[in-house]
Amino acid sequence: MNRADRESGAGRGIEAVLLANRDELLRFLAVRGAGDAAEDVFQELWVNIAGSSTGPIAQPLSYLYRAANNLMLDRYRSAQAARMREQAWGEYDRDRADPSAEQSLISREELARVDDTINRLGERAAAAFRCFRLEGMSQRDIAARLGVSLSTVEADLRKVYAALARLKGQIDE
């Protein structure tokens, strides 16, 4: 098959042009920075092309090179964004100093007040709250564990949240 046949796809569509020019596109992707992932990018390109509904394309090979280049740009931008996020989080962790002794004491006292507030609401409400918030259990599972109805668990959780909201208001004052 000569280059003109590969570029036109000889009436077999854009996928035929893609497959006929596979080796050239893989080299293009490798040179553009895909390296060992060139095959993966090619597969992504194929999926994108197969899933799109385009009409006739005047220059399908140029279209494919442009689409491959756009995939590489997307990957580059995504990698840049990930690096920037990681760097920002790293700087955040570095900037955080250990809390002072005073701040640690204040935090422990507030935690004790929260624990006391929850415990004063009753054993069932405290257990429901801890199962829901700390263990990540569903309300239905909590109801089964405690042997109560789902609406009872919901009422207990509302009671705990209201008490914690009042405590937060007191702490903030």
Side-chain angles (χ1 to χ4, degrees), residues 20-81:
N21 293 282
R22 181 180 185 280
D23 293 335
E24 291 87 356
L25 284 164
L26 284 172
R27 278 194 298 276
F28 173 79
L29 291 168
V31 168
R32 295 287 294 154
D36 294 337
E39 187 69 43
D40 294 337
V41 178
F42 181 82
Q43 292 298 321
E44 187 176 348
L45 176 62
W46 191 355
V47 168
N48 290 347
I49 295 299
S52 67
S53 57
T54 59
I57 299 171
Q59 297 179 344
L61 190 56
S62 296
Y63 178 86
L64 291 172
Y65 275 102
R66 173 60 77 185
N69 189 57
N70 288 343
L71 278 176
M72 290 304 301
L73 287 173
D74 288 347
R75 282 179 163 239
Y76 173 77
R77 289 176 183 147
S78 178
Q80 283 292 99

Side-chain angles (χ1 to χ4, degrees), residues 94-106:
R94 256 193 322 266
D95 292 344
R96 282 188 1 194
D98 290 332
S100 66
E102 179 183 10
Q103 185 59 46
S104 293
L105 179 62
I106 291 169

